[in-house]
Structures are given as C-alpha cells and as structure tokens.
Amino acid sequence: MLNLERLRTLDALARHGSVSAAAEALHVTTSAVSQQLGKLEREINQQLLAKNGRGVRLTDAGRLLSEHAARILSQVELAESDLEAHRGQVVGELRLSAFPTAARGLFPVALRALRAEHPGLRVRSSELEPEHGIAAVVRGDLDLAVVLDWYNKPMPVPDGLVKAPLLDDPAEVAMPAGHRLAGREEVDLAEFAEDEWITWGEGEFCHEWLMFTLRSKGVEPIVGHRAGETHTQLQLVSAGLGVCIAPLLGRHPVPDGVVLVPLTQRVRRHVYVIWRADADRRPSIRAAVEALRTAAQQVD
C-alpha cells in the first residue's frame, strides 16, 4: 500500500528539483523529506534517487512513480472536492493570497463577508507577488491566489488552473504637485524620459512590465527608488523623489502633494483569481470567488 504523504513528498521533489526546495514547499525539514523518501524506497524495494553532484536526481523508477504520484494526488483532490460539493457546505480551511494592493483593496471587504456568511470556514490569507501566488497554487500550498497582468504583458498561467476575472484596474502617472506636467489633462510615457521612476522590486512582474513599456516608448528608464507597496511609492512621490505608476486599486488615500494624471494611451492591469481545476467544485472556492467579485465591484 503506497503512503499518500510519501507520494506527496516524491511529487514535491519531482516538481522542485531538490530536497531543500521540496522541504521548503512542504514546510518541513530536509531531514523529513529524506526520511519519507527513504521509507518509500523500502516500501517498493526500488531506488528512487541517485546522487547527482552535490544534489540528487530521480532514477527511472523515481520518474515513473512521480508521474503516478501526480495523478494520484490530483484524483485525491478531485475526491475531496466532490465530497465537499456533495456536502454542499462552505466549511473547512481556505488558503489564499493576493499581491499587496489587492490584499489592501479587496481582502478586507471579501474576507469580512466570508466570515459573516460562512462562520464554519477558516480563511488564511497572505500577501504574495503574482508569480509566487501562481506557483503556490500549483504546488497546493494555496487554494486561490489573486494575481494580475497588464494590458500589454500577459502573465502566463500554467495548465490545470482556472481563472476568473475580478476587475480591470486603471492606472495613472503620479507626480509631485510641482512637476512640469502636473497641470496637463493627460500625458504620454515618452514625456518622462528625464524623470526618475519609483518602481517595484527588481525582478517583480510589475517592475518588468514598467521597464518593458517605457523601452517600447523609446525611453531608457532612470530608476531612483524601489518599493513594493503603492502607498510607499506615493509617499516618495509626495517627497519630490520621482514619479510612479499608480493603479486605482488600493491607492487611496492619495498623499498631499501628489497629482495623478491619466495617460494618453490608457493603461490598465487585469486582476483575476486563480485556483486548481481539480478543486473547481468546492463550495468554499465558489464562495470565495463570489466574495472577491463583490468586493471588486466596490472599487472606485
């Protein structure tokens, strides 16, 4: 009889490529991962791992069993989803994440509604950048993630995930009140070639989008400051330290000394929620999506 938790450990190793990465994904120690895989090898009387330099690799038997493990775990999730759907109750635990401005702009309203309407549901939320939220849903660490992409730069979504739109989030340029363009009705990004930008962290999806978009306008960006949260960026703008892109979601209240000007070419980011297709029938998933959609309708 194959042990489900040991199959889950093997699946994590196959997905993440190392014992340490599998341990991090499963929130256990590397020793625990090694022990589980050792027990699994003894149960099937075959070698699953082989040394590969300073790490390990899956043997042929390991790859074969990991493929079965992925299918078995998917079927288990389908069974759990069907049982929850059959019960028809929004109960249990639900783990979800959102990027910072969505956590600020959507979670208070949505999670309060879920608590009031479904007291048997325990919700656990966290802030994660979109790419990390997607990876956590794929791994099974999260049930849902609120993520985004931009009008000119889609966010790849892996197979096996379902997504539902929440809102289109318009963005403007935030600049100090004394900026030369602050009195304009609209501006073009090419007009900021000499300005310092306040942007997101290096490698983050929104930062990469801004660099890509400015360069498509013939502007080589001058990055002065980085901050992951829109409110921090706006405070830096208020201090006269540069300009930033300010989406509507989660930006209120705008600090004194900051002027928001629309762009000639309207800039929007698409906000949506994702979950695993295996869990599509869970009442708790459907309740959370509905609560997030209701919260999104109140954004203004």
Side-chain angles (χ1 to χ4, degrees):
M1 180 76 68
L2 293 170
N3 180 282
L4 193 61
E5 286 308 308
R6 288 166 198 158
L7 290 179
R8 198 180 305 279
T9 302
L10 178 64
D11 179 66
L13 179 69
R15 286 177 183 272
H16 301 289
S18 70
V19 171
S20 59
E24 183 178 355
L26 296 169
H27 305 291
V28 298
T29 64
T30 55
S31 175
V33 169
S34 298
Q35 289 174 16
Q36 289 280 53
L37 292 174
K39 290 177 181 178
L40 185 57
E41 286 183 327
R42 290 192 291 275
E43 284 176 353
I44 65 172
N45 196 30
Q46 291 194 58
Q47 185 178 353
L48 299 174
L49 303 177
K51 288 189 177 298
N52 184 33
R54 300 179 64 180
V56 296
R57 62 173 176 81
L58 291 173
T59 62
D60 289 345
R63 284 194 297 274
L64 177 64
L65 185 56
S66 70
E67 291 170 1
H68 283 289
R71 290 193 289 271
I72 290 168
L73 293 170
S74 177
Q75 286 298 314
V76 168
E77 179 141 21
L78 278 171
E80 291 173 343
S81 178
D82 284 347
L83 285 170
E84 188 177 323
H86 180 74
R87 200 164 54 233
Q89 297 176 327
V90 182
V91 295
E93 183 173 277
L94 192 72
R95 303 156 298 167
L96 69 164
S97 74
F99 57 94
T101 50
R104 176 185 175 88
L106 298 178
F107 274 5
V109 173
L111 302 191
R112 180 176 59 200
L114 282 172
R115 174 172 288 185
E117 295 170 18
H118 308 289
L121 181 66
R122 298 185 306 278
V123 178
R124 301 289 179 261
S125 69
S126 59
E127 284 188 2
L128 282 178
E129 291 299 325
E131 57 271 34
H132 300 307
I134 289 173
V137 172
V138 169
R139 291 196 305 266
D141 295 342
L142 291 175
D143 299 300
L144 301 101
V146 179
V147 299
L148 65 89
D149 58 23
W150 292 85
Y151 73 101
N152 59 343
K153 193 172 178 63
M155 168 71 78
V157 176
D159 292 340
L161 298 185
V162 178
K163 71 176 183 179
L166 296 178
L167 75 154
D168 280 351
D169 188 25
E172 300 171 309
V173 179
M175 63 192 77
H179 193 277
R180 67 187 186 282
L181 302 176
R184 294 270 295 275
E185 291 187 2
E186 58 183 30
V187 291
D188 189 277
L189 283 174
E191 297 180 89
F192 295 92
E194 303 304 320
D195 287 272
E196 284 195 29
W197 281 92
I198 300 162
T199 181
W200 296 268
E202 181 73 38
E204 290 185 12
F205 183 72
C206 288
H207 170 77
E208 297 303 322
W209 164 79
L210 181 59
M211 300 299 102
F212 166 79
T213 303
L214 288 170
R215 286 167 180 152
S216 72
K217 293 279 188 177
V219 175
E220 183 54 37
I222 303 169
V223 176
H225 305 278
R226 300 178 186 275
E229 174 57 67
T230 297
H231 264 225
T232 305
Q233 294 184 10
L234 290 173
Q235 289 291 349
L236 294 170
V237 172
S238 178
L241 298 173
V243 301
C244 76
I245 293 290
L248 175 62
L249 181 62
R251 79 182 178 200
H252 294 298
V254 177
D256 293 338
V258 174
V259 173
L260 297 165
V261 181
L263 285 151
T264 305
Q265 181 183 9
R266 296 294 184 253
V267 170
R268 291 180 177 270
R269 57 184 186 177
H270 310 299
V271 180
Y272 48 94
V273 58
I274 63 163
W275 63 94
R276 292 183 302 282
D278 295 341
D280 194 43
R281 294 186 61 194
R282 288 176 56 189
S284 57
I285 294 283
R286 296 185 176 276
V289 172
E290 183 59 32
L292 287 165
R293 281 176 165 162
T294 300
Q297 291 171 1
Q298 300 177 36
V299 174
D300 56 21

